[in-house]
Each structure stands twice: as C-alpha cells, then as structure tokens.
Amino acid sequence: MSAHKQIDRRWIFLLIFICVALPLIFVIGLPIETTENSRLVYDLVQNTPPGSKVILSFDYDPGSKPELHPMATAVMKNCLERNVKVIITALWPMGVQMAEEIHEELKTEYPQMEYGVDYVNLGFKAGGMVTVQAMGKSFRTIFPTDLNGTSINELPIMNGVKNFDNIAFVCSFSAGDPGIKQWVQITHDTFGKPVTGGVTGVSAPAVLPYVNEQQQLTGLLAGLKGAAEYEFMVKKPGTATSGMDAQSIAHLLIIIFIAIGNINYWRNKKKEAKGGE
Amino acid sequence: MKRQIPLIITFLVGFIVIFSEFIPQRFFGQISSTLEEWFLIISGFAIILGQLSLFKVNFLKIKFKQPNWPYYIVTLISFVVMVGFGAFWGTETSSGFLGDGAKIVATLGDKPFDYLFHNVYQHLSATMFSLLAFFIASAAYRAFIARNVESNLLLIAAVLVMLGNTSLGSALTGWLPESLKFLHLPRISEFIMKYPNTAGQRAIMIGAGLGLIGSSLRIILGIERSYLGGK
Amino acid sequence: MLHFFEVLGVWLAALFTFAIYSFLYKDNPFYKVAEQIFVGLSAGYWFIYTVYSILIPNLFLPLSEDFTGNWIKMIPAVLGIMMLLRLIPSIDWVSRYPVAFVIGTTSGVFFLRYLKSDVINQMTATMINPFTGGDWVVVIGQLLLVVGTITGVIYFYFSKKHEGAFGVTAKIGIYFLMVSFGAAFGYTAMARISLLIGRLQFLLGDWLGIIGH
C-alpha cells in the first residue's frame, strides 16, 4: 500500500469515537451470554459458606478502571449479600482508592454492613510475590494495621485470621504485575487455597493457562465482557453491561477496518503485478 | 568489598530462601519469614528512591535547560503539590502533619490529596490509556494483512475472538440449531481461548519460566552480576 | 461552596480528558502539560502511599512503640537508607548492599515459584489423555492443546537448527503461537475499547448528563 493512498488516520479516530459514543446514547440492548470461566467464578462465590472470610485484592489503577471496577464491585456486593466476609488488600497503591470508592457505595447501599466486621480494607503493600508469600505465613506481620491505622487485633473480622489457612479463597482484580499471577503462584500453588479473579482483556490470554485441570485458577473474568457476564449472573446490570453495545459496534468497526485494509492491499498488489509485466 | 560483599549477600539470601522450603526446620522458616518482612520495608524505600530519582532527573533537565524544559517545571510542581497535600492533611484514611483539615474538607468535599486524585489524576490516567483504543483501530487497518499462512491464522483468530467476545457474536449466530451449536461465535471464541491459545501461551509460559529459573540460579551463584552496575 | 467544588472537579476532569485527547489531532502544549501533571501526580501518589501504607505501619510505628522488641527492624531501615544513597553519585556503591538483598530474595522466591507454577504444573496440565472427556469438539480441543504446547516449546529451543522433522515441528509450533497472538490482539482491542467506553461514560454521563449510569 503506498503511503499517499492511506487515509488520514484522524478520520479513523473520529469514526471510532462516534461508533463508541452513539450506542452509549441510543441503547440497543444486545444479549449477554455467559462463558464457562465466568460461571466458575460465580459458582465459587455461591458455594462459599456464609461467614467465611475471603481476600479481594485490588491490583489495578484508574488506567484499567472501566474493565476491572465493575467486576470488583459486582463480586464484592455478591460476597457481602451472601454474608461472606471481605478482606481487601492491594498490590498496587491506587487499588486502595479503587476499593475505597466501592466502600463509599456500600455505605449507602448496605447501611447494615459494618466496617471491621463484614469487610475491612487493609491497604497497599509493595513487594509483590515475596510479600504475598510472607502474608501466607503470617498475616499480622505484613498487615499490623488496617488502612485507617487501627490495629488488626481490634478488628473483629480479623479474629482467627492468621494466614491463608483461615481464608476461603482469594480473588484478585489484576491489571498486570504484581497481580493474579502472584496470587496463583503463592496462594494456590504453595498454600493450596483456591484463587479466582478478573483481569484486563490485555492480560487474559496469558493468564488463561492457569485455568486448567489442576485448578491453579478457578475461573476467570476477562475484561469488560467478563464484568458484564458477572453483572448478568448476579442480576445487577452496571457500567459493564451498558458498555457492551458500544463494545460490539467498535469490534465490528475494527473488523471492517481489517477487511478494507486487506482489500486495498490485494488490489494494490494486483496493480503492481500488472505494472511489472 | 564494593562487589564481593553484595555477591555474598545475594548468595546467602537466595540460598536461605530456597533451602528453607525444603528443610522443615522451624528455624529456617523463621529466618525466611524475617527476610521476606525486611524485603517489604526495603521495597518501600526503593519506591521512595524511584520518586526522588524522578524529581532529581526533572530538576537536572530544568537546570541544564534541556529541550522542553518548562514542561518539567509542571512535573515538579505537580509532584510537590501532591506530596505536600498528602503530608499536610493526609489521605482519605490517614492524617497528615496538620491533622485532617476539617475546614478544607467542609469546603472541598474531600481532602486536597483525594480531590486531586479523584478529579485530576484518575481521569488523566484513564484517558491516557484509552488513547490506545484509537491507535489499535488504526493499526488494525494498516497492519493486519493476510500475506501468508501465519498472518492468516493471526487474522482469523483475532476476528473470531473479537466477534465472539461481544453481544453481536451471540446475536449473529444465536439462530443456529443445537446440532450446529459448535459454530456459535461465542463458542468458537471460547474454544480458541481454551485450546490453541492456551497451548501457545503455555509454551511461552514454560519457556519464560525456564529462562527465569536459569537467571535466578545464575544470580544466586554469582555468575550473573550485571545488577551490581558497571564499576 | 461544596457544590461549586464538585462541579469544578467534574469540569477539571473533562478539561484534562480533552487535553489528552488533543494529542489525537497532533502533539501540542495542552497535551504536554497534562502529560507532565499526570507524571508528577502519579509520583506524588506513590510517594505518599508508600509512606502511609508501608513505612509508617511496618517500620516507624513498631520501632517507636516498642524499640527493644522490634530493634531488628533497624536492619531493613539501615538497608533502606543505604538504598536512598544511590542518589548521591560519589557514594552510590553503598546501594549495592540493599540491591543485593532484594535481588537475592527475589531470585530465591522466583526460582521456587516459577519452577512449580509455570513449569511443572503447566507440564502436568498438558499430560492429559486427549481422547477422554466428552464430545468430539472437546477431543479435538485437547489434541490441539497437547500438540500445540509441545510444538510451541520445541519452537523456543534455539540450540538446534530448525530443519528437517525438527523444523516442521517448530513450524507447527509457530502456527499455534500465531493463533495465540491473534487471540491476544482480539482481547487487547476489547480492552482498549473498554477504556474508551469508560471515558465516554464519564463525558456523556457525569459531565454532560446525557446518559445515566
């Protein structure tokens, strides 16, 4: 393809912008189908006995918020509604604020839920894999206090939580490294506890090999689609569900771009071949 | 001394971490746990070093009036403002030197640190990464050309996964009878992800894993020393 | 007043969003300023959260509350300060000690975890009988999984020239890798579009109020 025949890419940018914006304004309401991996995550939460304690790790920042925040919100609410106690941690510093945003929602939506009893935010710790390993041996060493500086011994939810033995499962919402990989390698492969979670679309293909017969990872929510599936299963449509129409149209547009790119390429190749004869 | 002692430290620490895994002695386990706890604290200092280093680099760029130097003043001001707000009035959950700044919170609705995070940083970060949506669309138009078997496989897999991962895929092939359900686009996409994709990614994972194991051993045994720097 | 700052917050967010998007037209000072604010605020955030989440609860508080019981934490504290000395060129070699500690610990942990999770467990997960477990679609899938993993690993073996039967096997490995990369592109496109959707949900919802959440 010769350079002068290529259209100005700013037209492509504009088209993408419009094709994403329009379905957000004029909702089509395309159906959402669940996948096996998302159902595995849902089943793990549903089969966890009420009163159990789980870790939800917020390993992302605002850069991945549209994908991971809806699933984190849906999973957290699902846990709390089933009376599964939630311990929040973060391997990314901005994960703390992401969790706090959900905390604000919980205050109004579930006023009966009590901080420190039904859920707690232990905050951010650096060190990735090494820190997760230390957590597995002794929770108190790594988290002497919660995010507010309250001693972990004064928080009822942390009673009896010494290490991963006292946790039902870990669910990591992960935008990269450190994240779900470290939880799989340590929590499941070293301490034998189920690990599940959600990842950005970018990292999903590389994380999928962990979903295998050994159950290194129990299911996986992949990107906005995974979030929309979870919202669908818990019957709480949110931003992921409302974004799926736009997602569909944008994918269609990208496929059309690929097709046009190929048609142009082959047409030019034919012309070049003719010119060469 | 400048190189030998660090090499010995690396060897001893790596050796203890690995062997404590195989020796069920409590003593070894405790040493390993202590080392991991120290690691967290030193990692904290490493992050601080990273931020101070960024400050230094930007400061030097301004000092020596490198190209675009006025923009680096903006970087330094933003850094100092964020750190200052955090240090003086703390964050949503921590108090700063001057307490919690109740008056400011009553006016702003948030602590200054959180106000900046929620209204500026969060949006800058999200927008910055969303720019890639435009470039990936443009890349699809320019680079996804079916030239040979490999590029055909790449292209077909990409298109099927993109279609299968949306509601559009469900709508397009939802009418298929039960006997042909394996051709349903979301199912095809799931099949690609579960089998051929997993096979390829697993091969990469095993290859990279073996590489990492080799590098780790070379570092612990002192064969690989580049992390100590040049001098 | 509170309302004013709420509205100002939304407008600030919208203005910075457009400042970044202005790059799509062409590079310009608005984009550059927004980019540098992003870098500065990010560094400031990391700094503050590291102090409040790690250095205070895990180091300063234990030392100030019970020094005799926690004196051993002085060792990582000193190592940490040695790390900071990297900023002073004349004595930056001092930072090699804590770096050696960090590298040694990481290498030890990586050696153990990657061996088990990414090598042994992945190989075990591939050692399946492809002909069991359900209908013909699953059987084909499992066959692809076994063949793809083995040929893919063979492709990464560069100590032998890729020719003859070995070369053919490696070529099959490339085909599987290509399908993986295609799938990865599909997912990456999905991820990037999702981020744009997030931004438009903000602009059309929180800022303009055209759509509800």
Side-chain angles (χ1 to χ4, degrees), chain C residues 131-196:
Chain C
F131 300 102
T132 56
D135 57 10
W136 62 273
V137 178
V138 177
V139 171
I140 291 177
Q142 288 179 342
L143 266 172
L144 288 174
L145 184 69
V146 174
V147 173
T149 309
I150 295 170
T151 53
V153 170
I154 286 173
Y155 168 72
F156 285 116
Y157 187 76
F158 296 117
S159 303
K160 188 171 153 53
K161 206 173 177 193
H162 287 182
E163 57 189 8
F166 188 75
V168 172
T169 320
K171 187 85 180 164
I172 296 171
I174 296 179
Y175 292 156
F176 278 93
L177 287 172
M178 284 300 149
V179 173
S180 289
F181 296 147
F185 176 85
Y187 265 85
T188 305
M190 176 169 95
R192 301 311 180 205
I193 296 293
S194 309
L195 301 185
L196 176 59

Side-chain angles (χ1 to χ4, degrees), chain B residues 37 56 75 86 115 130 202, chain C residues 5 21 36 52 73 87 122:
Chain B
E37 196 193 340
K56 187 182 157 186
T75 323
Y115 188 83
S130 75
R202 187 170 281 164
Chain C
F5 279 103
Y21 279 155
Q36 293 311 316
Y52 284 140
K73 283 182 192 278
L87 290 167
Q122 293 307 315

Side-chain angles (χ1 to χ4, degrees), chain B residues 1-2 5-6 10 13 21 37 44 47 51 56 75 86 109 115 123 127 130 133 150 158 165 195 197 200 202 228, chain C residues 2 5 9 13 21 29 36 43 50 52 73 87 96-97 100 103 105 113 122 126 141 171 180 182 187 192 199:
Chain B
M1 198 178 108
K2 286 181 184 174
I5 293 180
T10 306
V13 171
E21 184 87 358
E37 196 193 340
I47 294 173
Q51 313 319 328
K56 187 182 157 186
T75 323
Y115 188 83
H123 297 274
T127 314
S130 75
E150 284 91 337
N165 258 339
Y195 301 115
N197 165 70
R202 187 170 281 164
L228 291 176
Chain C
L2 190 65
F5 279 103
Y21 279 155
Q36 293 311 316
T50 305
Y52 284 140
K73 283 182 192 278
L87 290 167
R96 284 180 189 166
Y97 291 65
I103 297 281
T105 318
R113 302 304 156 224
Q122 293 307 315
T126 314
K171 187 85 180 164
S180 289
Y187 265 85
R192 301 311 180 205
R199 282 295 70 209

Side-chain angles (χ1 to χ4, degrees), chain B residues 207-223:
Chain B
L210 287 172
L212 257 169
I213 292 163
S215 309
S216 300
L217 266 185
R218 283 168 61 86
I219 288 172
I220 292 170
L221 296 175
I223 303 166

Side-chain angles (χ1 to χ4, degrees), chain C:
Chain C
M1 201 62 177
L2 190 65
H3 180 68
F4 168 77
F5 279 103
E6 262 176 37
V7 174
L8 178 73
V10 175
W11 274 85
L12 272 177
L15 287 177
F16 279 115
T17 303
F18 285 119
I20 298 279
Y21 279 155
S22 68
F23 180 77
L24 292 169
Y25 186 71
K26 67 175 190 185
D27 201 0
N28 64 76
F30 293 108
Y31 169 76
K32 281 205 180 86
V33 167
E35 186 189 33
Q36 293 311 316
I37 291 177
F38 169 59
V39 174
L41 294 185
S42 174
Y45 184 97
W46 274 81
F47 190 98
I48 287 296
Y49 261 85
T50 305
V51 173
Y52 284 140
S53 301
I54 300 168
L55 297 184
I56 291 179
N58 292 75
L59 181 68
F60 300 143
L61 273 184
L63 281 177
S64 62
E65 283 172 359
D66 176 16
F67 185 81
T68 39
N70 292 307
W71 67 269
I72 194 126
K73 283 182 192 278
M74 283 305 290
I75 300 175
V78 170
L79 284 170
I81 291 163
M82 285 163 83
M83 181 81 104
L84 296 183
L85 293 179
R86 199 179 185 86
L87 290 167
I88 306 167
S90 56
I91 46 168
D92 64 353
W93 61 271
V94 176
S95 67
R96 284 180 189 166
Y97 291 65
V99 167
F101 177 89
V102 169
I103 297 281
T105 318
T106 313
S107 302
V109 176
F110 270 34
F111 176 84
L112 293 167
R113 302 304 156 224
Y114 275 86
L115 179 64
K116 190 169 188 208
S117 301
D118 284 25
V119 179
I120 296 175
N121 279 353
Q122 293 307 315
M123 289 206 264
T124 315
T126 314
M127 309 281 176
I128 48 170
N129 179 357
F131 300 102
T132 56
D135 57 10
W136 62 273
V137 178
V138 177
V139 171
I140 291 177
Q142 288 179 342
L143 266 172
L144 288 174
L145 184 69
V146 174
V147 173
T149 309
I150 295 170
T151 53
V153 170
I154 286 173
Y155 168 72
F156 285 116
Y157 187 76
F158 296 117
S159 303
K160 188 171 153 53
K161 206 173 177 193
H162 287 182
E163 57 189 8
F166 188 75
V168 172
T169 320
K171 187 85 180 164
I172 296 171
I174 296 179
Y175 292 156
F176 278 93
L177 287 172
M178 284 300 149
V179 173
S180 289
F181 296 147
F185 176 85
Y187 265 85
T188 305
M190 176 169 95
R192 301 311 180 205
I193 296 293
S194 309
L195 301 185
L196 176 59
I197 291 171
R199 282 295 70 209
L200 282 168
Q201 280 173 333
F202 163 75
L203 288 175
L204 298 172
D206 298 308
W207 184 51
L208 293 177
I210 297 173
I211 58 167
H213 270 201

